[in-house]
Amino acid sequence: MASTLARELARVRTETGVARAFGNRGGVPTILFSKEEAADQDNDAVFAVGCNGLAGLVRLDRAFAPFFEDLFSAALKATDRMLMTKKENDELSRKVEEFLIRLSPHLQQHAAPKALEWLIRRF
């Protein structure tokens, strides 16, 4: 029984990880894309959009620069929160919260939804 459960959990993790890795949103609309467009956007494309948005935010406020490493690094493209420890998840949540608080006065800027698109898709 335990081996059956273990195999099933591994299968679900694999399927979930593959879907997330390829940016499969199942045709769900996002803040930038219609459901059809969203379904065609892979993780790399959304990451590029997000980094472009963050670069625009850095031009407005240099305090956004550390988020290139904290939330917009290429290493995070493969991050799966379901596989992270509680401590890692808490730290990532803290960084996302810090980013959102810093972003709030800039939500009217053209770059803001681009950066948000990455965070919503990935985390």
Side-chain angles (χ1 to χ4, degrees):
M1 176 71 106
S3 62
T4 303
L5 179 59
R7 282 194 306 270
E8 184 64 19
L9 286 172
R11 183 189 64 76
V12 168
R13 278 191 202 115
T14 301
E15 288 175 2
T16 302
V18 168
R20 286 183 181 160
F22 290 103
N24 183 348
R25 298 280 298 172
V28 176
T30 69
I31 55 177
L32 292 181
F33 304 112
S34 69
K35 65 181 183 179
E36 293 81 13
E37 292 170 325
D40 290 338
Q41 303 299 316
D42 67 7
N43 224 20
D44 290 328
V46 176
F47 177 72
V49 168
C51 287
N52 179 277
L54 183 58
L57 292 168
V58 168
R59 285 191 291 278
L60 296 170
D61 183 350
R62 293 285 307 151
F64 282 102
F67 293 107
F68 271 113
E69 184 178 327
D70 294 342
L71 298 174
F72 292 80
S73 73
L76 289 172
K77 286 196 280 186
T79 298
D80 186 343
R81 290 191 85 161
M82 293 177 63
L83 302 177
M84 295 171 70
T85 66
K86 179 174 177 5
K87 183 178 178 181
E88 291 168 332
N89 257 306
D90 289 347
E91 180 63 17
L92 182 57
S93 293
R94 187 191 61 75
K95 290 175 183 178
V96 169
E97 181 178 356
E98 181 183 340
F99 179 82
L100 293 174
I101 289 168
R102 186 165 306 282
L103 181 66
S104 62
H106 303 285
L107 286 173
Q108 299 290 331
Q109 299 298 323
H110 183 67
K114 292 179 179 181
L116 276 174
E117 184 73 23
W118 167 248
L119 294 182
I120 291 168
R121 175 74 68 104
R122 194 69 216 133
F123 306 116

